[in-house]
Amino acid sequence: MTDHPRTAIITGAAAGIGRATASLLSTEGWRVVGIDRSDADGVDLVVGDAGDPAVLADALARCDRSLDALICSAGIPPSGPWDSREHWDEVLRVDLSAPYEALRVCWPALVTAGGSAVLVGSIVGAAEGSLRSPAYAAAKAGVEGLARSFAIIGAADGVRVNVVAPGAIATDFDERLLPADHRTDVPLGRMGTAEEVAGVIGFLVSPAASYATGAVWTVDGGRSVLSSADATRLR
């Protein structure tokens, strides 16, 4: 047993998957520092841009520069217009460049602690394209390449890096195209919850996942393995 709690920085900690993960880790005794653009009750939060090195450094200072886990959950949801260069630049900045910057800034602290990182990706980009937002699909596909690369970089120092790739999750982030409890495009028949994704993240930053790195952990109720023919049969 250590004399101090494990520490984690979570970006996008004010809502959705980030907040659910912060709540889970706090309940398990972690010292959690969040980063988000807006404040939230019940979370030790640095208010600011998750891709800003100064904001990341502030969060790191609150952890006494020893970091057991970095969880990058901040992001912009799929939206349009698809042919807007301004939209493309903003989505790539937030959904791909910001996780890279978080890894870059926090890396020495992760090495010191022998910690791990989890990047929140999506089945969009890796398993699916996006009619509304090629920028989102490109960024989330890039997150997987980023994680695999940092998994190799960190291996010698015992730093693990993984991706959690959610499907349809019942948060404000996900547009409700079908009722949450009646998803004919999902074998389990419903949207997932932020807490279910947080449970996988909690596992990945725990000692139980000590041999897992460079992997993509899909949390989508089976959606990405459902063929269009079988989806028709489920309706």
Side-chain angles (χ1 to χ4, degrees), residues 168-171 174-186 188-193 196:
I169 306 299
T171 68
D174 219 318
E175 183 179 0
R176 304 297 176 86
L177 301 176
L178 293 168
D181 59 352
H182 186 64
R183 291 292 298 249
T184 56
D185 60 333
V186 178
L188 291 184
R190 62 175 176 84
M191 297 180 82
T193 67
E196 287 174 311

Side-chain angles (χ1 to χ4, degrees), residues 63 79 101:
C63 298
S79 60
E101 191 66 13

Side-chain angles (χ1 to χ4, degrees), residues 21-221:
T21 305
S23 177
L24 173 66
L25 295 187
S26 294
T27 299
E28 293 180 347
W30 287 68
R31 164 87 167 97
V32 177
V33 177
I35 299 175
D36 209 298
R37 286 182 175 274
S38 57
D39 208 345
D41 294 334
V43 180
D44 181 8
L45 208 63
V46 177
V47 178
D49 190 322
D52 184 337
V55 172
L56 289 160
D58 188 359
L60 199 54
R62 296 194 192 189
C63 298
D64 295 326
R65 303 197 175 278
S66 177
L67 192 61
D68 297 286
L70 170 67
I71 297 148
C72 296
S73 180
I76 296 176
S79 60
W82 71 264
D83 57 351
S84 166
R85 179 54 192 264
E86 181 180 0
H87 173 70
W88 171 274
D89 289 344
E90 181 65 4
V91 172
L92 268 290
R93 184 187 71 80
V94 175
D95 287 1
L96 182 55
S97 294
Y100 165 76
E101 191 66 13
L103 285 165
R104 187 187 70 81
V105 172
C106 296
W107 198 253
L110 286 169
V111 169
T112 297
S116 66
V118 177
L119 312 184
V120 177
S122 173
I123 61 171
V124 176
E128 301 179 353
S130 174
L131 181 66
R132 290 178 295 160
S133 183
Y136 182 84
K140 291 304 184 179
V143 161
E144 294 191 10
L146 181 68
R148 292 185 185 105
S149 300
F150 271 90
I152 297 169
I153 293 168
D157 294 308
V159 177
R160 300 180 297 106
V161 183
N162 290 285
V163 173
V164 166
I169 306 299
T171 68
D172 291 339
F173 193 89
D174 219 318
E175 183 179 0
R176 304 297 176 86
L177 301 176
L178 293 168
D181 59 352
H182 186 64
R183 291 292 298 249
T184 56
D185 60 333
V186 178
L188 291 184
R190 62 175 176 84
M191 297 180 82
T193 67
E195 288 73 21
E196 287 174 311
V197 182
V200 177
I201 295 172
F203 163 71
L204 287 173
V205 299
S206 76
S210 58
Y211 201 56
T213 192
V216 178
W217 298 73
T218 303
V219 188
D220 71 349

Side-chain angles (χ1 to χ4, degrees), residues 184-187 222-223 225-235:
T184 56
D185 60 333
V186 178
R223 176 176 167 180
V225 299
L226 181 67
S227 70
S228 57
D230 285 338
T232 300
R233 294 188 185 101
L234 289 175
R235 289 183 183 138

